Amino acid sequence: MKNENKVYNVALLPGDGIGPAIINATTKVIDKVSNEYGFKVISKTALIGGAAIDKVGVPLPDETVKICKASDAVLMGAVGGTKWDNLAGEMRPEKGILGIRHELGLFANLRPATVYKSLKNASPLKDYILDGGVDIMVIRELTGGIYFGKRGSQHTDGECFSAYDTEEYSVPEIERIARVAFNVARGRKKKVCSVDKANVLDSSMLWRNTVIKVSKEFQDVDLSHMYVDNAAMQLIRNPGQFDTILTNNIFGDILSDEASQITGSIGMLPSASLGSTKLGLYEPIHGSAPDIAHLKIANPIATILSAAMMLRYSLNEVEAAVKIENAVIKFLDVGYRTADIAVNNQKYLTTDETSERIIELL
Ligand code: IPM
Ligand code: MN
């Protein structure tokens, strides 16, 4: 359906390594669908991560925060690289991502991990484990817990001899992420598995009790609980048992990487970071891959699928989102491959060729 008057402002944060290449490949796909569906995307590019450190001396310039806050959505590439590895904590490129999530109040991170039928052979798991299908949505709390908690270190003679970080969650923080998970599960198989370490941690005990309390508002959704160590094992043993996984910041960081590998390549997986308004941040879950940055072979699919999530959650252009997702499935079904998902010497496409083929298949 054409709707001629819709104009959206999107902030682009290419970042480091393969970031600029995958963002560039993705904007071409966005241009194509916006033409077809009659909306306009006005993009502004801003600095983040190592690129920002090099140009203006900080990983998250105020100007970038301003541009993002004035946008309908933010599309990010990736940050980090060996060049900045030795910088102190506050100056690391990663602080750019943590900072922008915090500044925009993006407390909910949605990370889908789906095994595409035509990509089964790229998964490290055996066929019989994947046979029932794998379609998991990890809902990770994104602005609390140990990544943002009190921290410190003690020094003698200039040498650090102890350091600590703290995991702390308040009831409202847990309630709001739990509601996101239950709502997302409603649009899926209506199953939430809340992952914690409630046999050891007080913060997890509070997490579990609060999730149980919130679940009363969602009687139609089935709730189960799992300790994180068991969850790490079950993801490999029987990933098909999971639908929606709800967990804290650090467990979600780790489990979503694990879940992604089940699908064959982290290069395929998008993510959405949402808050209490429509403004969201969308990024591939892989990193900046500095080792392949100059080779032009980075897989842009995770970013292209992140753009689809952006169209769905922030811009309300659901048909255009579905169109992109279907084009990616066709791309794989036809047999096209990128370097990360090619097996047994299959031929593979470059970053730009991949976006060109996907555009043809739209
Ligand atoms: C991720 C990344 C980030 C995180 C880092 C780069 C701060 O690993 O998006 O998962 O831990 O959240
Ligand atoms: Mn991570």
Side-chain angles (χ1 to χ4, degrees):
M1 192 182 48
K2 286 233 174 195
N3 190 333
E4 304 292 347
N5 305 317
K6 287 195 274 184
V7 178
Y8 305 112
N9 292 302
V10 171
L12 300 176
L13 309 180
D16 310 316
I18 60 173
I22 54 182
I23 287 288
N24 180 51
T26 301
T27 53
K28 292 182 191 150
V29 176
I30 298 174
D31 283 349
K32 180 71 198 280
V33 289
S34 63
N35 264 331
E36 185 172 338
Y37 287 91
F39 58 89
K40 200 168 157 56
V41 171
I42 299 177
S43 58
K44 259 200 187 143
T45 303
L47 292 167
I48 195 164
I53 295 171
D54 287 352
K55 276 239 169 79
V56 294
V58 288
L60 182 63
D62 293 344
E63 175 70 8
T64 297
V65 175
K66 218 170 94 192
I67 290 175
C68 291
K69 283 188 174 167
S71 300
D72 296 301
V74 181
L75 186 64
M76 201 176 78
V79 300
T82 43
K83 182 175 172 194
W84 306 281
D85 271 353
N86 294 321
L87 293 173
E90 284 309 308
M91 280 303 294
R92 295 181 62 86
E94 287 78 3
K95 281 286 171 188
I97 304 195
L98 294 171
I100 194 70
R101 289 172 181 163
H102 178 78
E103 284 287 342
L104 301 179
L106 306 174
F107 64 84
N109 190 210
L110 278 55
R111 297 189 162 187
T114 317
V115 174
Y116 293 97
K117 280 202 190 70
S118 51
L119 270 191
K120 248 168 105 176
N121 62 355
S123 171
L125 297 187
K126 294 202 169 69
D127 270 1
Y128 78 88
I129 295 179
L130 301 172
D131 275 346
V134 177
D135 179 5
I136 301 170
M137 177 68 94
V138 178
I139 310 284
R140 166 188 176 192
E141 200 290 327
L142 202 59
T143 50
I146 197 163
Y147 289 9
F148 290 91
K150 285 193 205 85
R151 64 193 58 204
S153 52
Q154 286 186 290
H155 300 253
T156 39
D157 303 329
E159 287 275 315
C160 178
F161 76 92
S162 84
Y164 69 93
D165 301 272
T166 45
E167 170 84 355
E168 181 173 357
Y169 273 107
S170 67
V171 169
E173 276 180 306
I174 303 168
E175 284 174 345
R176 65 183 184 178
I177 188 70
R179 289 199 180 97
V180 170
F182 285 111
N183 276 316
V184 167
R186 271 190 173 153
R188 299 171 48 89
K189 291 191 211 115
K190 297 193 163 64
K191 272 170 57 179
V192 169
C193 177
S194 174
V195 172
D196 61 38
K197 188 71 185 171
N199 51 343
V200 178
L201 304 175
D202 282 5
S203 53
S204 276
M205 191 78 88
L206 180 69
W207 180 279
R208 189 174 284 217
N209 290 335
T210 308
V211 171
I212 291 173
K213 214 173 64 196
V214 171
S215 72
K216 310 282 187 245
E217 300 163 23
F218 299 85
Q219 300 281 351
D220 54 321
V221 180
D222 179 67
L223 171 66
S224 61
H225 305 272
M226 202 179 272
Y227 297 136
V228 63
D229 45 355
N230 187 26
M233 181 180 73
Q234 295 296 336
L235 270 172
I236 300 300
R237 200 185 71 87
N238 177 15
Q241 71 184 286
F242 295 105
D243 174 43
T244 305
I245 293 177
L246 160 64
T247 192
N248 70 5
N249 201 342
I250 188 168
F251 298 160
D253 187 20
I254 298 165
L255 293 181
S256 60
D257 267 34
E258 188 188 355
S260 76
Q261 200 49 48
I262 296 170
T263 70
S265 171
I266 197 166
M268 301 285 300
L269 298 190
S271 79
S273 301
L274 309 173
S276 49
T277 68
K278 274 273 171 196
L279 169 58
L281 181 145
Y282 301 84
E283 56 175 315
I285 89 161
H286 59 71
S288 57
D291 50 323
I292 61 159
H294 57 292
L295 299 178
K296 299 183 168 38
I297 57 162
N299 183 353
I301 292 180
T303 316
I304 291 171
L305 290 173
S306 298
M309 291 185 95
M310 171 178 90
L311 290 166
R312 173 174 284 118
Y313 294 110
S314 282
L315 309 185
N316 264 333
E317 296 288 347
V318 179
E319 283 176 41
V322 172
K323 188 94 175 181
I324 293 177
E325 287 157 355
N326 285 339
V328 168
I329 293 172
K330 274 188 237 159
F331 173 92
L332 299 170
D333 285 348
V334 171
Y336 292 131
R337 292 294 178 265
T338 46
D340 54 322
I341 51 175
V343 288
N344 304 327
N345 294 322
Q346 267 172 318
K347 266 183 55 188
Y348 55 80
L349 303 178
T350 63
T351 308
D352 286 340
E353 286 165 349
T354 302
S355 86
E356 283 158 23
R357 293 298 94 76
I358 289 174
I359 287 170
E360 284 163 16
L361 293 167
L362 278 169

